[in-house]
Amino acid sequence: LVAAERTRAASDVDYELDIKPIFAEKCASCHGALKQESGLRLDNGGLIRQGSENGAVIAIGNAADSALIERVSSADVDVRMPPEGVGEPLNAKQIALLRAWINQGAASPIDEPVPEDPTKHWSYQIPQRSPLPEIADENWSHPIDRFIAAKHRQQGITAVEKADRYTLLRRIYLDLIGLPPTREQIHEFFRDDSEKAWLKVVDSLLESPHYGERWGRHWMDVWRYSDWDGYKQQVRGSQRHIWHWRDWIVQSLNADKGYDQMIVEMLAADEIAPEDPDLLAATGFLARNFHNSNRNIWLDNTVEHTSKAFLGLTLNCARCHDHKYDPIPQLAYYQFRAIFEPHNVRTDRFPGKRDVMKDGLPRAFDAELTAKTFLYLGGNDKHPDKDNPLAPAVPEVLGGELKIQPVELPISAYFPALKSFINEEDLEQARRQLAAAKKKHLAATQPAGDGAEATDASEIQLLKLTRDVADLRLRSLEARYAADRAKYATPQKKSQFEKLSTAAAETERLFNVRQAELTVMQKQAAFTSAKKSDEQDAAKKKTAIDAAKKALDDAEKALAKTKEKPEKKETKYTSVGTEYPRTSSGRRLALARWIASAENPLTARVAVNQIWLRHFGEPLVDNVFDFGLRSPKPRHAELLDWLAVELMENNWSMKHLHRVIVTSRTWQLASSAGQVHDSHADQIDPDNHLLWRANARRLDAEIVRDNVLAVSGQLDPMFGGADVDFADGEKSRRRSIYIRHAYEKQMTMLVLFDAASPTECYRRSESIIPQQALALSNSSLALGKSRMLARQLSNEVGGPELGSQTEFVRQTFLQILSRPPADDEYAVCLQFLSDQAQLLSDTSALNTFTGGTKPVVDPAADPQQRARENLVHVLMNHNDFVTMR
């Protein structure tokens, strides 16, 4: 192979195959359509031969005298191309190919196109509706079908027929709500033979609350949802209680909130609705990016995934240098980062939830309005260009501008401690503490009853001091609240505030003194107890006494310091809460409105592409997060733009777009090879790029698990709420969207079926591996639910006689696969039931299975019923159960 390669390199260099890819990879970023350093372009053979402003760069027929070869092969990093920091040097094989090409005449196609101005790239132009193609066949009159049929006509192929009604009904249920139809829903659909039957089903599913769960999980992929990722109490990534953002996503989709409005709320709800916790939850999009150890990583993630998710733009590629392909200079990356520079995250309290460790609202806010952004030379955060702080801006190639207007915040946003529910809850807790302390002190001072031991004086003294501390704690809290209310009053009455702040400071000082005295008394008791200890080990006893004595000494020192009188009346007191900035920069709101504008060329296209991917299994633009120059104009560009405009002109309604898509003939085509009647189509377009059939697809991991619960009638209908521990996934009956999903915190079954990576998942991978079959067949969840379903169906159809067995098979297929069995399936299943019952009836011939987990539901004792349980379990492992056809 090596010899053959050397021979080809020396005698048969192909420009398109060998040379052009080298220039594209190594040189085009500085010498291409985007930029022409020294006036040199290396993205076209004719332009290469033309040379630079300094003259020719190749000597045709003489590589040894070519400046190009000298520069790419130089050992001097100051001379070598590409320069250090811009790209890796060419390897020996690449240099050898360039030498051979030049020596052989540097030939290239005469008609080789010159790459166009990158700003003219198709995706940088505002979407426009193309006229609908003229179609003769009325069956293809739907707008989507017109575009698709025109492509079929151009290629001379014929699409397959529509799928049968059973297949279509299961497909639409799984597509829109992620759950299969029940047997009653199947029967209802088949009873309605009107022309509107299909639209009735579509509308009912779009109105189902399960729609938000199904499509919420899709968008959680795109928006990089991750539950709290931490160790013990540590937060490493994302945030505690980020599930409030997940619930906002589901609720917003169910309410058919416009996609543009969702963008605005995710990026800037704190600037448009600073007092609305339901909307503030949307900023979980930003809170999710949190990184505990490095602010730069945090902001890098924010920049990268904001641009990828909403704009299909790999802005992150310009962090270290100008983008190699797209017209995005390095400066633009840091200007985009400047939009997010001031922001941080915090957790706000909910009514009735005093402990934010247990529940709270993770949300974004602007914490440092004066924070500056610097360009990092070479992308190295150790080398910021501090002489040139950057103002926020958006990439020039996309047009528009940031219209930044600072946002004045209400007091409930910048000083939330004065919210009435927080005030009342804190005071109520202090009152309860005082009541409990009074009760204990009163009980200790009551005369002892017959046989009861009286409380000693030191204990009574301790309880009295505890009561006094609780009383002062309440009084101090009331005084500090009064002072804070005066401080933040509009307008503020200075004299009143000074009076209240002085009172608050004095009450707080008294509380601190009594609290310190209580601590001394407690430490004194602990020291006395240590000296009287019955501990036999002298060394251990001495250690305990020494530790107690040190704690006592520390407490006494703290008390002495607390008792020190101030020289004059103190007015400084501890505020009841944290004050945040009173103004938000408005940068994120400006960005959100720029992104969600109909004038932005990318936003609607990117959204449509993501939606199309999940309806068809394949996107219209292959690289769903990169619509830049590396994405050529798609085959169905006119259809993409038509749908993008349709989305925007219908209030960015995703439900409207779903309805348009699933009512098309294209979406309703069959996928089965048995229904492919045009082998010509299979030969011309085996990968189905022209959409002449439907794509049979493996169900998403979450839907596989949910369907096990749904077909067995065991799915918990509860919506929303805190995430369920991933370790409980086999036991929980909640939908999989509610199972904890974070780095190192994922349910095994879901991982095996290709669940989304919480790090980045704009498009899921799809695999077929043996572990998937094992996961279903050995799952305690699947096994237990199959036994429960078998019992339910047996109760419906009756005993094991032949007629009942036939009906059992039919109802089982309808329940699990949403279709009746074919004749051969009837025969195989009936034979299985008979053979399996006979096998199971001879208990002496059976082996006990000792591996795996203990089943939640024990198998039936009756061999006939157990055979039915086995059949149900088999069908839950059927390929059709995990496939959308």
Side-chain angles (χ1 to χ4, degrees), residues 494-687:
K494 188 174 181 181
S495 60
Q496 183 183 21
F497 171 60
E498 288 179 351
K499 178 181 176 182
L500 291 171
S501 63
T502 300
E506 177 60 21
T507 310
E508 184 178 11
R509 193 185 73 81
L510 290 174
F511 165 71
N512 290 336
V513 169
R514 292 290 181 270
Q515 180 67 65
E517 289 174 346
L518 177 60
T519 302
V520 169
M521 188 175 289
Q522 290 168 335
K523 300 303 181 186
Q524 178 64 60
F527 178 51
T528 302
S529 177
K531 291 193 293 184
K532 294 179 179 179
S533 170
D534 294 333
E535 173 64 58
Q536 299 299 310
D537 188 309
K540 287 184 178 179
K541 183 171 182 177
K542 183 178 183 307
T543 299
I545 291 172
D546 290 346
K549 182 63 169 65
K550 183 180 185 307
L552 175 58
D553 291 343
D554 290 343
E556 288 176 337
K557 289 177 184 176
L559 173 59
K561 187 174 182 179
T562 305
K563 283 185 173 182
E564 292 176 359
K565 288 274 188 177
E567 294 182 4
K568 59 180 181 178
K569 273 194 173 183
E570 183 64 71
T571 60
K572 290 184 179 179
Y573 64 95
T574 303
S575 179
V576 294
T578 301
E579 179 180 341
Y580 300 102
R582 301 188 179 199
T583 302
S584 192
S585 70
R587 295 180 183 184
R588 288 178 285 110
L589 179 56
L591 173 67
R593 287 175 172 162
W594 174 79
I595 291 175
S597 167
E599 299 303 308
N600 190 303
L602 290 171
T603 308
R605 283 188 177 116
V606 171
V608 165
N609 197 51
Q610 290 286 6
I611 292 171
W612 185 275
L613 163 64
R614 286 157 178 84
H615 276 301
F616 288 90
E618 293 292 335
L620 294 170
V621 179
D622 288 338
N623 196 338
V624 296
F625 61 79
D626 184 2
F627 277 44
L629 269 67
R630 283 176 291 183
S631 283
K633 191 171 184 177
R635 296 177 186 85
H636 303 287
E638 293 79 11
L639 171 58
L640 173 65
D641 282 8
W642 190 93
L643 289 170
V645 175
E646 182 74 8
L647 175 66
M648 291 187 287
E649 290 186 350
N650 286 275
N651 300 314
W652 297 77
S653 165
M654 284 186 270
K655 284 189 178 182
H656 173 77
L657 199 64
H658 296 312
R659 191 177 289 107
V660 170
I661 290 173
V662 301
T663 53
S664 70
R665 186 180 185 88
T666 303
W667 185 89
Q668 298 176 33
L669 294 176
S671 64
S672 171
Q675 293 174 289
V676 176
H677 63 274
D678 185 1
S679 59
H680 183 61
D682 202 16
Q683 293 170 2
I684 290 179
D685 183 27
D687 294 323

Side-chain angles (χ1 to χ4, degrees), residues 137-293:
D137 188 346
E138 289 186 359
N139 290 324
W140 290 81
S141 60
H142 186 285
I144 289 176
D145 298 334
R146 287 174 176 266
F147 286 105
I148 299 303
K151 295 290 185 182
H152 294 170
R153 184 175 57 200
Q154 290 171 8
Q155 296 298 321
I157 63 174
T158 303
V160 301
E161 295 299 319
K162 288 171 63 173
D164 65 85
R165 295 192 82 195
Y166 283 110
T167 299
L168 281 179
L169 189 65
R170 185 170 189 269
R171 186 190 295 176
I172 192 67
Y173 268 80
L174 294 174
D175 197 355
L176 292 185
I177 67 171
L179 299 173
T182 64
R183 285 176 290 155
E184 177 52 38
Q185 288 165 337
I186 295 172
H187 297 324
E188 182 181 353
F189 179 60
F190 275 84
R191 283 194 295 265
D192 187 350
D193 57 1
S194 70
E195 292 182 359
K196 295 184 178 180
W198 181 250
L199 194 55
K200 288 180 185 176
V201 172
V202 171
D203 286 343
S204 69
L205 294 177
L206 288 175
E207 290 306 310
S208 167
H210 293 304
Y211 157 76
E213 292 175 318
R214 169 58 161 158
W215 280 83
R217 183 58 259 184
H218 287 322
W219 287 111
M220 285 159 65
D221 285 12
V222 179
W223 297 330
R224 228 166 62 101
Y225 179 86
S226 173
D227 286 303
W228 166 71
D229 173 25
Y231 176 70
K232 295 183 178 179
Q233 298 303 317
Q234 180 192 41
V235 177
R236 294 179 296 190
S238 192
Q239 289 289 300
R240 290 186 181 88
H241 326 306
I242 199 73
W243 56 266
H244 288 289
W245 173 40
R246 176 246 290 154
D247 284 0
W248 171 87
I249 295 172
V250 173
Q251 292 160 7
S252 297
L253 292 173
N254 280 333
D256 200 21
K257 186 177 291 182
Y259 179 74
D260 58 337
Q261 183 63 21
M262 292 181 73
I263 292 173
V264 171
E265 290 176 12
M266 281 191 283
L267 292 175
D270 58 306
E271 295 183 325
I272 63 168
E275 297 181 282
D276 189 340
D278 291 336
L279 296 192
L280 288 171
T283 62
F285 173 81
L286 297 171
R288 178 267 170 271
N289 290 315
F290 173 83
H291 192 284
N292 69 328
S293 66

Side-chain angles (χ1 to χ4, degrees), residues 4-22:
E5 182 60 38
R6 285 176 179 165
T7 300
R8 194 178 69 80
S11 62
D12 189 25
V13 177
D14 185 291
Y15 171 77
E16 293 286 351
L17 181 65
D18 300 317
I19 303 304
K20 196 169 184 175
I22 297 175

